[in-house]
Amino acid sequence: MIATNAPAQTVAGGRGRRWGLHAAGNAWSALQGLLPLIALLLLWQVLGDPRSPYFPPPSRWAAALIDRTSAGDLVPTVLVTFQSVAAALVLATALGVGIGWLIGASPGLARCLGPTLEFLRTLPPPTIVPVAALIVGVNEKMKLFVIVFAALWPVLLNTTSGVRSLHPTLLEAARSLQLGVIARVTKIFLPALLPSILTGVRVAAPLAIIVSLLAEMLTLMPGLGALLLMAQRNFNAAEVFGLLAVVGSFGFIINAALAAFESWALMPQGRY
């Protein structure tokens, strides 16, 4: 039994080591990319005027965020926005992959739905918010709908393009091996389409964050967007800059997580 499991354990361990090294390299590259931003913030801190009402130094941003955290406002709003973005990305990925697969595999369906999808794709997501609020109401379902509407298109278009570019050899192999539907999807089509799908998800993630903030600003629903708008209306520049830093960090973390998952999912299965 030990001899039988040894090769599989060796492959898994090799893949894990390679992914660990690759992830460490990506993390180091990301940290190197942050060095100019850190240098800019340090320069701002040294040269900035703490009494400035428009351009306060980063130390005042931190103080404003600490006050918000102590008041119990910051962490719940970050969690609300994160939940909305995460749920919308999952739904947009599922819908985009499913619809993109059907359109890419059926030229007739692509001709029928093409004009409608192109019309919907060109609609700016902020203009959807008032319509969705009238139909659905100002609630979490409305915000989720608007975010999914914005994040759907990158996944759908990348999946459609991936299906159309599948090599005919893959289709012939599936027919020759007489694989079932589930086996075809999991063993042939999904691995071939995974790079296209993950690229679409990475493009959709920042769109989901932006539209989530816009929806929260326009409707004053709980979240980072509403908190940011209220700070702007109160002319609290330090809090505005601090919340912008939180939003940027939020997007950076989500993108880094997606990049790490992509490097793991696309890591070759062979021996180390």
Side-chain angles (χ1 to χ4, degrees), residues 22-35:
H22 188 67
N26 287 340
W28 174 243
S29 298
L31 291 177
Q32 285 181 317
L34 289 175
L35 290 178

Side-chain angles (χ1 to χ4, degrees), residues 224-247:
L224 276 173
L227 203 61
L228 186 61
L229 183 64
M230 294 304 298
Q232 179 266 325
R233 288 180 175 177
N234 292 329
F235 298 97
N236 191 341
E239 187 173 330
V240 170
F241 280 111
L243 291 173
L244 284 176
V246 171
V247 171

